[in-house]
């Protein structure tokens, strides 16, 4: 619970969306002690638009190529919109495989993130350190983290909207002041 609290504090203190998404995926990976984690953030088209990762080096990400869009097992999890634990990815008939240079991954835990009642993304965690399967406790912890993540994502989106609105007001004020000077 202390680790969950620390993770929640870390993610809710960030208001910029890019760094926030990275904090979420890093916090999820640390929370359950797994090798890899990713956060598939949905775009307006319902497919993955952003895919920050944790545990994979920048070089390895470049070697893998384009991030996934949400087909295969990742897409199954997105469409299900619920938590899923897969004990062996290679034996799941819904998989479509990994791209070249992708690290080997065996076990998978996927947890949805709902913000404002809408699915906005999915946390994907693979391969617990020590090789054991993900447990109900892992699932529960990541679900709680996803609730905090939803709040943090909503806050970041509202912050971005406020920044845009403030810039518009500053421009309008400058325009109004210029008109007053001319008058």
């Amino acid at each position: 619970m202390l680790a969950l609290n620390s993770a929640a504090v870390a993610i809710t203190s960030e208001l910029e969306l890019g760094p926030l998404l990275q904090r979420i995926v890093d916090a999820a990976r640390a929370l359950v002690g797994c090798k890899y984690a990713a956060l598939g953030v949905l775009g307006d088209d319902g497919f993955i638009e952003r895919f920050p990762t944790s545990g994979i080096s920048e070089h390895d990400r470049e070697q893998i190529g384009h991030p996934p869009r949400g087909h295969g097992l990742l897409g199954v999890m997105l469409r299900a919109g619920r938590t899923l634990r897969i004990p062996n990815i290679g034996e799941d008939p819904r998989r479509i495989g990994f791209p070249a240079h992708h690290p080997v991954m065996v076990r998978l835990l996927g947890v949805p993130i709902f913000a404002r009642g809408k699915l906005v993304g999915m946390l994907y965690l693979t391969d617990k350190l020590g090789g054991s399967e993900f447990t109900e406790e892992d699932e529960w912890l990541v679900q709680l983290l996803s609730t905090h993540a939803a709040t943090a994502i909503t806050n970041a989106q509202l912050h971005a909207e406020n920044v845009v609105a403030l810039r518009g007001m500053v421009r309008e004020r400058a325009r109004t002041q210029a008109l007053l000077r001319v008058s």
Side-chain angles (χ1 to χ4, degrees), residues 102-163:
H102 195 284
V104 174
M105 296 178 179
V106 178
R107 292 174 176 83
L108 178 63
L109 170 63
V111 176
I113 298 175
F114 288 93
R116 301 180 192 175
K118 177 182 170 191
L119 180 66
V120 296
M122 192 91 169
L123 279 165
Y124 303 105
L125 302 130
T126 61
D127 298 339
K128 282 190 63 140
L129 299 174
S132 62
E133 290 189 24
F134 289 102
T135 65
E136 286 184 29
E137 182 179 339
D138 295 328
E139 186 177 315
W140 179 76
L141 286 169
V142 178
Q143 286 172 338
L144 288 173
L145 181 66
S146 78
T147 301
H148 290 287
T151 301
I153 290 169
T154 299
N155 288 344
Q157 290 169 335
L158 292 172
H159 174 72
E161 290 170 12
N162 286 339
V163 167

Side-chain angles (χ1 to χ4, degrees), residues 36-57:
Y36 308 108
L39 173 55
V41 180
L42 294 178
D44 292 334
D45 62 358
F47 287 97
I48 295 172
E49 179 178 82
R50 297 174 86 155
F51 200 72
T53 61
S54 183
I56 298 175
S57 71

Side-chain angles (χ1 to χ4, degrees), residues 84-106:
L84 292 173
R85 279 188 281 163
I86 311 293
N88 190 326
I89 296 168
E91 293 178 0
D92 195 294
R94 301 167 292 184
R95 78 188 186 297
I96 59 172
F98 291 108
H101 307 289
H102 195 284
V104 174
M105 296 178 179
V106 178

